[in-house]
Amino acid sequence: MRNVANFSELQAFIADYYRGQRVTVKPYAYTMPVQTALLASGASEQNTLSILSNADFICTQLVISATEDSGTQWGWASLQLTDTASQENWFWNPAIVQDVCTNANMGAASQRDQRPGPTMTVPRVISANSSLVSTFGNNVSVGLTFTASLTLVGVNVFPLR
Amino acid sequence: MIYNQYSVSHIRAYLAQIYGAASLVLNDQSFAANFGTMTADVPESLPVQIPANSDFLLLEIAVATTELLLSKSKIQISDSTSGETFFNVATPVSAVCTIESTLSQLPWPRFVQGNTTLYVTLTPDATTTSPVIVSLLGVGIRKG
């Protein structure tokens, strides 16, 4: 998990958000598939992630990972995340993957290891028991032949009664 | 120079929330799980025993190997007592672990009580010819 959200700043963020409420915080990461099979040009694939019912999740970083080599195609894939309850989108338009995700291991073999990428400016709170739908789109003229997963890095916040 | 987001003052302040005013002895600590060579797509689990006389504050999970393909492998860590897992599913190593010189710290420390057994499960995406070692790095805590 990359040290994007500074620990002390994240502490302050959580203290402000849960003002006066006692909470327990633990590091956590959700991983979901975003592309499970060949994706034709212009096509998109949707997958759903369920958030634990007993803890809010505060996301500090998105990391995209691929299981197959894909040359330079992957960077042009698009990503949208939608809260199924509120229908709120994370991005106004589907975002280009390489613009919003750290790219964990996509691309040619020589570039496969971790590469730094864009980071979230502020953490995003996802309420307990929420569902997120990912929409992964192919913007290039050829089919995307790799499979990919998205990891949401952050912390679980357990309210104490 | 690798940026370390956990300063000593951060750690001391965080631990004060847990231990109150108790006097603490803090040490850099590392627990390693040596998987040896591994077979592609075969998950292996190893226990990491936290000693009974000290608690542990986990700050970083690191994977050491010479294998190029390891970043595509997956990792899960579970607490044998509570059954709690660190991730919702086995997660790409490259998304949550330090590999080679790329520092990847937890966004928040994970407090592990003494006498806990953690199980590290690693699923390599390729057969390895050199050992794979997962290290849990952080701070050992004993009451002074």
Side-chain angles (χ1 to χ4, degrees), chain A residues 90-118:
Chain A
W90 282 36
F91 313 113
W92 184 260
N93 297 113
I96 301 301
V97 164
Q98 64 186 359
D99 290 342
V100 295
C101 297
T102 293
N103 307 305
N105 56 10
M106 303 180 92
S110 61
Q111 306 167 323
R112 192 176 300 136
D113 285 336
Q114 294 168 313
R115 282 187 285 170

Side-chain angles (χ1 to χ4, degrees), chain A residues 1-67:
Chain A
M1 304 180 191
R2 314 301 167 78
N3 49 355
V4 174
N6 178 279
F7 174 50
S8 58
E9 291 177 356
L10 191 55
Q11 282 183 306
F13 179 88
I14 290 173
D16 188 45
Y17 188 86
Y18 293 93
R19 197 175 294 268
Q21 190 175 1
R22 294 180 61 228
V23 297
T24 294
V25 183
K26 294 183 178 182
Y28 199 71
Y30 285 97
T31 294
M32 65 184 300
V34 290
Q35 185 186 335
T36 58
L38 187 146
L39 197 58
S41 176
S44 62
E45 177 178 329
Q46 290 191 324
N47 288 280
T48 302
L49 172 70
S50 296
I51 302 298
L52 291 172
S53 59
N54 62 342
D56 295 339
F57 181 67
I58 298 182
C59 182
T60 59
Q61 187 170 29
L62 300 174
V63 185
I64 195 90
S65 307
T67 53

